[in-house]
Amino acid sequence: MTTVPLTAPPGDDTADPAEAVSTERAGEPAGTPVGIVELSERVVASVLARCPWLIRASAILLAVLTLVCLVAIGTRLSPLPVIPIPLFAAGFYFLRRLRAAEIRTHRLRWALLTAVATMVGFWLIAVVARWVS
């Protein structure tokens, strides 16, 4: 039975730690910490790769929320439900930019902007409902 030291890189099957190939590069620290931004970029990229239907579902959600606002104008007989519609339009624009983005940094940026615009617009629906009733 051969044991591989924990410091050995993948694919290095040497049993003696002195013979193992070092993964450290000259001048770089041993374990470079991964920042929260890079971690977030990886999460967004993996979610978009695993769930390609997520962008279409988000577009449908934005369309339904906009439709709810338009129906509320006639139901409540007030123009106040129009207030969240520009935020949903901005969310739809950000979603289109997210679909076209190829760099992980841009995907994170457009995903965050889409989420914030949608959440603030959804929150405004609740606030406007309190104002009107």
Side-chain angles (χ1 to χ4, degrees), residues 89-108:
F92 188 72
Y93 171 74
F94 297 148
L95 194 62
R96 288 299 209 183
R97 296 293 301 254
L98 172 63
R99 181 180 290 174
E102 294 181 8
I103 301 173
R104 283 193 321 193
T105 307
H106 294 167
R107 284 186 178 180
L108 175 65

Side-chain angles (χ1 to χ4, degrees), residues 29-101:
T32 333
V34 176
I36 188 73
V37 174
E38 186 176 331
L39 181 63
S40 301
E41 290 171 358
R42 288 181 182 180
V43 167
V44 167
S46 69
V47 166
L48 290 176
R50 288 184 188 173
C51 306
W53 50 266
L54 191 61
I55 293 178
R56 180 170 289 183
S58 299
I60 291 170
L61 172 74
L62 287 171
V64 167
L65 290 174
T66 303
L67 186 66
V68 165
C69 289
L70 293 175
V71 168
I73 292 170
T75 305
R76 300 285 187 163
L77 298 175
S78 171
L80 286 178
V82 175
I83 294 173
I85 291 178
L87 286 168
F88 295 143
F92 188 72
Y93 171 74
F94 297 148
L95 194 62
R96 288 299 209 183
R97 296 293 301 254
L98 172 63
R99 181 180 290 174

